[in-house]
Amino acid sequence: MKKHWILSSKGLGNIFVAIILLFYVLFPMVVVVFWSIAEKWYPEHWWAPEKIGLSWFKALFKLVDVQLSFIQTFTIAPIVVALTALISIPAGYVFGTKSFPGKRLLENIFLIPLVVPAIATGISILSVYTAWGLRNTYWGVILAHMIGATPYMLRCVSAAFEGIDPAWEEAARNLGATRWQVVWKILVPNITPGILAGAIFAFSWSINEFVLTLLIGFPTVTTLAVKVYQYIGGYYITPNAAAAVSIFLTLPSIPIVLAMEKYVKAEYVAGVAR
Amino acid sequence: MKKLLEKLKKISLALYFAPLFIFYGFIFAYPIFLTFVRSFGLFPVTPKTPSEFTLKYYFEFFQPNSVYIPSLWFSFWNSVVTTFIAAIFGYLVALYFFKANYPGKKTVSALFKSPLFVPYLVGAFMWMEILAAHGYVNGFLKSLGLINQPLRLIWDPYGIGIIIANVWMNVAFMSTLMLGALESLNPDLTYAARNLGAGTWTIVRKIYFPLTLPAFLAGSILIFVGIFGAFSVPFVLGGSWPKYLSVVIYEDVVEHGKWVQGYVSAVIYIISAVILTYVYTILMRRMAGRK
């Protein structure tokens, strides 16, 4: 009789490693959940809160500025996604389907925004935005988020266009398809996964962006990331509120992680920095 | 006529890049260019200051007892250490997910990726609560009787907290990338080596490592660049001395209004990041080419 897989020394070793890895990754998240529901937690009782409840969430929901940040965070991100897609698709089409001298150089040039430290970008755009009246505006923050989100979108869209075999287009043409039919039936369905992958990156970039939003948006436009900072490093430290806001900020990631498993292929990740 | 048409076609290709160039031109390149100009004291931001060419602020940066050079150095070595740990750890995790086989492995590997989408600020906050004097690590060690005084793991002079938080944030990225690279290898290589009597360690050393080296090096530079210029984690977990250059710039500009000094630091920060990336990429290509 064959032994059950879990009883073999190899099986046990694998499970042991899996438990350690999961603990390492998930434990910090549990700590945030603890802080968000802790109503009483003294340092002597370090392992878990003494009294738990949802009062921090209830209190935060009532705060008008938190409501506003919530709305701002989750309306800015989709607009950033849409605009980055709009400006990246034409360029991605050329990168993915044509070859021309200097292509590699041009591709690298569009990765520069990821190499430049965020604070350097931040103080550079700060004075320019002030002069142009973009500081403390909703659109100013959107444009600032697009700086870092666009390289990811461009990379994903280019990879998607690269994956289209030119023979398909030719075949469709030979079979009498019109130009629009080629676009709708061949290009659109084949690049949609790439755009979705880019959208996932751009969306998470926008909700995670902190320093540019702090410099450009604060105090008029404060996304949830800035709110987290205000509660942990600002004038007063309230870890409970910071934890509750962190949970608002991280919850959308759950469907995103699941979507990522489905759409994001290794080649999309390969060319982009975090 | 035909040549003219060809030319027109080429120009129309450039039109596809117009939205990107217009966006980056106005919103990114122009402000950065202005920062270069302003770092020499020209066209100052503050009104009533005359526009004058000066290298004063650059001298200030490179002065032997200034805060800037040590901050740049601290940002550099701290990110190198973090990248090194995150890259090796991520590679080992990828090898584990590649080789191990048990029911539920897919779920474990998906859950392991979750830090990828935790915002940096939230990651910093998590580790702040774990590593602080009242946090889990100190509480645990104290209850075991191993320490009397809490260990200083955040806001410390070595940036231990920054390293721990950044490793946690980046290890999933590295393992995802490396798992992709390992899965794209031709399985026949492994079979052939096995048939010739190679052990697991030999296969890892002689087949996996050399063939995934390009992806490993590319992933490392991506992590390095992200951490070297990072702001959130060192801002929240960094001590009062030494600081990341990003934090010094923020304080100079936002808290002390030292705009020109901030611009000088920003210029040097950008140049260092670009040079480091460039040099690394060249070395990487050479190493990958030799194999």
Side-chain angles (χ1 to χ4, degrees):
Chain A
M1 205 180 102
K2 207 170 167 257
K3 258 202 300 190
H4 190 265
W5 65 271
I6 206 166
L7 292 175
S8 67
S9 67
K10 215 174 175 185
L12 275 176
N14 283 339
I15 296 296
F16 181 69
V17 174
I19 290 171
I20 289 181
L21 290 181
L22 286 183
F23 178 78
Y24 174 69
V25 160
L26 298 178
F27 176 68
M29 300 186 185
V30 173
V31 173
V32 173
V33 174
F34 274 179
W35 272 105
S36 71
I37 55 171
E39 289 184 348
K40 212 170 87 185
W41 194 353
Y42 295 115
E44 303 79 59
H45 196 272
W46 56 271
W47 54 95
E50 281 130 286
K51 188 163 169 275
I52 58 165
L54 292 176
S55 61
W56 281 100
F57 283 102
K58 281 181 198 148
L60 279 176
F61 268 127
K62 283 195 201 114
L63 288 176
V64 180
D65 61 322
V66 175
Q67 290 170 2
L68 187 66
S69 310
F70 198 81
I71 295 170
Q72 284 173 337
T73 306
F74 291 105
T75 53
I76 287 174
I79 298 176
V80 170
V81 169
L83 291 178
T84 49
L86 205 66
I87 63 172
S88 304
I89 290 171
Y93 168 72
V94 179
F95 274 143
T97 55
K98 307 272 187 282
S99 64
F100 51 90
K103 181 171 156 182
R104 184 103 178 244
L105 181 72
L106 200 58
E107 280 178 327
N108 287 338
I109 284 175
F110 287 120
L111 290 177
I112 289 178
L114 296 177
V115 178
V116 172
I119 186 76
T121 311
I123 64 164
S124 301
I125 64 175
L126 184 56
S127 50
V128 175
Y129 272 31
T130 312
W132 289 348
L134 279 168
R135 193 176 174 183
N136 284 332
T137 63
Y138 191 73
W139 289 98
V141 171
I142 289 174
L143 289 172
H145 286 187
M146 284 171 65
I147 294 173
T150 305
Y152 293 88
M153 180 64 91
L154 182 62
R155 184 70 219 173
C156 292
V157 174
S158 310
F161 274 113
E162 253 164 54
I164 296 176
D165 191 338
W168 300 341
E169 193 179 328
E170 225 168 273
R173 290 260 195 179
N174 287 342
L175 293 170
T178 63
R179 213 192 165 98
W180 277 109
Q181 274 174 324
V182 169
V183 169
W184 277 111
K185 304 261 166 158
I186 292 176
L187 287 185
V188 172
N190 281 300
I191 63 159
T192 308
I195 295 175
L196 278 175
I200 290 168
F201 282 117
F203 189 89
S204 69
W205 180 273
S206 170
I207 64 169
N208 295 350
E209 213 298 316
F210 164 62
V211 63
L212 296 185
T213 320
L214 181 69
L215 289 171
I216 301 300
F218 190 75
T220 327
V221 187
T222 51
T223 55
L224 288 173
V226 178
K227 272 269 149 355
V228 173
Y229 164 66
Q230 277 181 281
Y231 287 125
I232 53 171
Y235 303 104
Y236 48 94
I237 296 183
T238 24
N240 305 86
V245 176
S246 300
I247 286 178
F248 286 153
L249 193 53
T250 318
L251 273 185
S253 324
I254 295 166
I256 289 175
V257 171
L258 295 176
M260 185 176 148
E261 281 293 289
K262 202 168 162 195
Y263 292 114
V264 180
K265 296 179 202 150
E267 72 244 37
Y268 296 154
V269 190
V272 287
R274 289 225 314 136
Chain B
M1 191 65 202
K2 215 173 178 189
K3 262 194 177 159
L4 195 74
L5 261 174
E6 282 288 303
K7 243 189 185 155
L8 272 176
K9 239 183 182 168
K10 281 224 169 105
I11 292 167
S12 74
L13 268 189
L15 273 180
Y16 285 90
F17 289 109
L20 270 185
F21 271 118
I22 291 169
F23 169 73
Y24 273 127
F26 280 101
I27 299 297
F28 182 73
Y30 171 68
I32 297 276
F33 170 72
L34 215 53
T35 291
F36 270 83
V37 174
R38 281 174 166 162
S39 69
F40 295 104
L42 300 164
F43 309 107
V45 201
T46 40
K48 288 180 197 160
T49 325
S51 169
E52 237 176 343
F53 180 85
T54 172
L55 287 173
K56 198 171 90 190
Y57 299 96
Y58 278 94
F59 285 130
E60 177 68 34
F61 190 99
F62 289 107
Q63 221 189 66
N65 52 358
S66 80
V67 299
Y68 302 103
I69 294 292
S71 302
L72 184 63
W73 173 240
F74 178 64
S75 325
F76 174 73
W77 77 252
N78 190 278
S79 342
V80 169
V81 171
T82 314
T83 307
F84 193 74
I85 299 173
I88 304 273
F89 184 16
Y91 194 61
L92 292 175
V93 171
L95 274 177
Y96 163 74
F97 283 129
F98 184 57
K99 297 254 52 149
N101 204 358
Y102 53 90
K105 190 184 87 172
K106 272 223 159 100
T107 320
V108 175
S109 128
L111 281 171
F112 191 78
K113 281 182 197 151
S114 42
L116 270 181
F117 286 99
V118 170
Y120 270 86
L121 211 58
V122 176
F125 168 65
M126 288 170 175
W127 287 99
M128 185 171 116
E129 292 305 336
I130 294 173
L131 302 172
H134 62 265
Y136 276 87
V137 173
N138 279 311
F140 183 66
L141 292 176
K142 227 187 212 167
S143 70
L144 288 180
L146 289 171
I147 51 167
N148 296 319
Q149 288 298 310
L151 297 175
R152 204 156 147 217
L153 297 170
I154 50 169
W155 306 317
D156 63 292
Y158 304 103
I160 298 170
I162 304 172
I163 295 175
I164 294 177
N166 271 333
V167 166
W168 188 83
M169 298 295 305
N170 284 290
V171 77
F173 172 73
M174 194 64 186
S175 70
T176 309
L177 195 66
M178 293 321 297
L179 190 59
L182 286 169
E183 276 168 354
S184 67
L185 292 181
N186 186 351
D188 292 344
L189 288 172
T190 319
Y191 298 142
R194 277 241 186 276
N195 285 341
L196 294 171
T200 307
W201 173 237
T202 316
I203 292 175
V204 168
R205 211 163 39 106
K206 298 263 170 160
I207 297 178
Y208 296 161
F209 198 73
L211 288 176
T212 54
L213 191 66
F216 181 79
L217 296 172
S220 315
I221 187 68
L222 293 176
I223 293 176
F224 173 79
V225 163
I227 299 173
F228 179 64
F231 178 74
S232 326
V233 176
F235 191 45
V236 174
L237 297 178
S240 52
W241 181 257
K243 284 174 181 154
Y244 262 56
L245 190 57
S246 52
V247 179
V248 173
I249 296 176
Y250 178 83
E251 287 172 351
D252 268 356
V253 170
V254 177
E255 282 162 23
H256 309 302
K258 285 156 65 180
W259 280 91
V260 185
Q261 194 65 61
Y263 286 142
V264 168
S265 308
V267 166
I268 293 167
Y269 211 3
I270 295 173
I271 293 177
S272 327
V274 171
I275 290 180
L276 286 171
T277 316
Y278 183 73
V279 169
Y280 189 93
T281 316
I282 299 281
L283 286 179
M284 193 174 93
R285 277 206 198 120
R286 267 210 201 139
M287 274 174 90
R290 215 191 299 141
K291 290 284 165 186

